[in-house]
């Protein structure tokens, strides 16, 4: 009898002790979790702010951590100082591009006007007219070069203010404008334009498509060339593809054509095809919109350039 009582007491003690130990363990885990969450909350705040800035490129956002002066506070303040410096740097770059745009374009515009007036004078000799026409060609080339450089400098920064843009509408507009040049060069334009909506700067989007179309037309060195422009929407992104006939492009030279002032086979600035900035600007604009540009040789000669940008399905 006494032994049964002793065994029952021992079992009860073990059961209650186990319950108590479990309760204390659960309380310790919960309290530890709360303490860890409280301690790591400032770090999470810093991480979330850094992630938002990286995705949105909004350099005006700050952490603004007002906790005790510890290592986390120092980290948050350092991050805020870095954002402030980056914002000032980008603002200074934008002001420089705006000022350079005015200072560089104005003299060229004046030169173009003066030469044009001199060429059109009734008493201008044939030598003066030929010289003036040559100077106008050189002046136009310099204007394209400066315009390309300024566009490249301005488009390398991420685009903050974006609106819905349908690549099909942009491509249709650009192809309509390029129809005359394509006809003069004997290039046939084919279009398959499906709805492909992205978010971005409409002016930069037009420049991206325009550069691709102009590049495709002007590098159709043989008569009866063809360019094909296609837009489509895929889950998650909008796609623009431009195919053109032309000379055979070695695969190892593909990346070269995206470098400023570089063309195939070492051709550099000085040809009538442009300043060698077209595809560099295309890549800069696509990157600024969170997209990417790829190129591949076309079977039979020519190039296939594909631009993929973050897509908007419902607008």
């Amino acid at each position: 009898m006494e032994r049964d009582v002793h065994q029952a007491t021992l079992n009860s003690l073990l059961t209650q002790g186990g319950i108590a130990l479990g309760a204390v363990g659960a309380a310790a885990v919960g309290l530890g979790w709360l303490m860890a969450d409280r301690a790591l909350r400032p770090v999470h705040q810093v991480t979330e702010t850094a992630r938002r800035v990286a995705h949105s490129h909004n350099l005006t956002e700050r952490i603004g951590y007002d906790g005790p002066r510890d290592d986390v506070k120092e980290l948050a303040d350092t991050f805020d100082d870095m954002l402030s410096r980056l914002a000032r740097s980008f603002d200074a770059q934008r002001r420089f591009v705006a000022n350079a745009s005015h200072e560089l374009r104005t003299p060229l515009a004046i030169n173009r006007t003066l030469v044009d007036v001199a060429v059109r004078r009734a008493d201008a000799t044939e030598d003066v007219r030929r010289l003036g026409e040559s100077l106008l060609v050189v002046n136009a080339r310099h204007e394209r070069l400066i315009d390309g450089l300024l566009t490249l400098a301005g488009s390398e920064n991420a685009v903050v203010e974006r609106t819905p843009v349908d690549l099909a509408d942009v491509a249709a507009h650009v192809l309509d404008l390029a129809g005359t040049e394509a006809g003069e060069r004997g290039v046939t334009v084919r279009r398959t334009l499906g709805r492909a909506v992205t978010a971005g700067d409409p002016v930069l989007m037009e420049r991206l498509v325009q550069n691709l179309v102009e590049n495709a037309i002007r590098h159709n060195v043989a008569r009866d060339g063809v360019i094909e422009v296609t837009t489509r929407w895929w889950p998650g992104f909008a796609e623009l593809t431009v195919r053109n006939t032309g000379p055979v492009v070695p695969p190892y030279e593909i990346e070269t054509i995206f470098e400023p002032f570089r063309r195939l086979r070492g051709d550099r600035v000085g040809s009538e095809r442009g300043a060698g900035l077209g595809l560099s600007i295309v890549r800069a604009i696509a990157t600024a919109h969170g997209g990417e540009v790829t190129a591949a040789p076309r079977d039979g000669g020519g190039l296939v350039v594909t631009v993929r940008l973050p897509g908007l399905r419902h607008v």
Side-chain angles (χ1 to χ4, degrees):
M1 185 71 175
E2 181 179 354
R3 183 172 183 177
D4 293 340
V5 172
H6 178 72
Q7 186 65 37
T9 303
L10 181 59
N11 292 338
S12 176
L13 180 61
L14 290 175
T15 302
Q16 294 177 3
I19 294 174
L21 182 60
V24 170
V29 171
L31 182 61
W33 184 83
L34 291 175
M35 294 288 290
D37 180 69
R38 182 181 180 86
L40 295 177
R41 192 174 303 164
V43 178
H44 293 160
Q45 183 180 355
V46 174
T47 304
E48 285 298 322
T49 303
R51 184 178 293 111
R52 284 197 304 271
V53 172
H55 290 168
S56 67
H57 305 283
N58 180 15
L59 297 179
T60 62
E61 187 172 1
R62 300 291 182 272
I63 297 174
Y65 179 66
D66 56 358
R69 300 200 62 84
D70 52 13
D71 292 341
V72 176
K73 171 69 171 174
E74 184 177 357
L75 174 63
D77 291 344
T78 302
F79 187 80
D80 285 344
D81 291 340
M82 180 187 67
L83 289 178
S84 298
R85 291 187 178 186
L86 287 175
R88 289 194 297 268
S89 175
F90 286 133
D91 288 340
Q93 183 181 10
R94 281 191 289 267
R95 288 194 299 270
F96 170 78
V97 170
N99 293 333
S101 174
H102 175 74
E103 295 296 332
L104 294 175
R105 285 176 174 146
T106 300
L108 291 176
I110 295 174
N111 289 342
R112 183 178 66 251
T113 302
L114 293 175
V115 173
D116 189 59
V117 170
V119 170
R120 294 177 183 276
R121 288 182 57 177
D123 58 346
T125 64
E126 188 63 27
D127 290 339
V128 170
R129 288 193 175 93
R130 284 199 299 267
L131 177 61
E133 291 172 357
S134 299
L135 291 175
L136 287 175
V137 171
V138 173
N139 198 84
R141 183 179 299 159
H142 289 165
E143 287 180 337
R144 290 196 302 269
L145 174 60
I146 290 175
D147 184 62
L149 287 172
L150 294 174
T151 303
L152 183 61
S155 60
E156 286 184 336
N157 296 331
V159 178
V160 177
E161 297 182 3
R162 307 187 183 190
T163 58
V165 180
D166 190 347
L167 294 179
D169 294 339
V170 177
H173 174 69
V174 170
L175 291 174
D176 290 341
L177 294 178
T180 301
E181 181 179 2
E184 293 174 350
R185 294 176 178 266
V187 176
T188 301
V189 179
R190 300 172 182 169
R191 61 178 78 183
T192 305
L193 305 180
R195 187 170 173 82
V197 182
T198 184
D201 185 309
V203 175
L204 291 179
M205 287 291 103
E206 181 177 349
R207 185 58 185 269
L208 180 149
V209 179
Q210 180 182 358
N211 281 11
L212 287 177
V213 171
E214 289 180 351
N215 184 77
I217 292 175
R218 294 171 184 175
H219 285 80
N220 268 283
V221 293
R223 302 291 294 182
D224 301 326
V226 177
I227 72 168
E228 301 174 0
V229 180
T230 304
T231 59
R232 69 183 79 182
W233 189 91
W234 295 97
F237 61 87
E239 182 181 87
L240 166 72
T241 303
V242 179
R243 297 177 176 84
N244 66 275
T245 55
V248 176
V249 181
Y252 58 83
E253 290 192 8
I254 289 296
E255 281 301 313
T256 301
I257 62 178
F258 287 102
E259 298 178 8
F261 306 111
R262 295 292 299 276
R263 301 193 192 91
L264 294 176
R265 299 171 182 85
D267 187 18
R268 295 181 70 87
V269 177
S271 82
E272 63 176 3
R273 299 180 194 171
L277 290 170
L279 292 181
S280 301
I281 293 173
V282 169
R283 172 165 284 182
I285 294 175
T287 302
H289 286 80
E292 63 177 4
V293 181
T294 58
R298 177 183 172 275
D299 293 339
L303 199 65
V304 179
V305 181
T306 302
V307 180
R308 289 183 173 178
L309 300 167
L312 297 178
R313 185 168 189 176
H314 302 290
V315 181

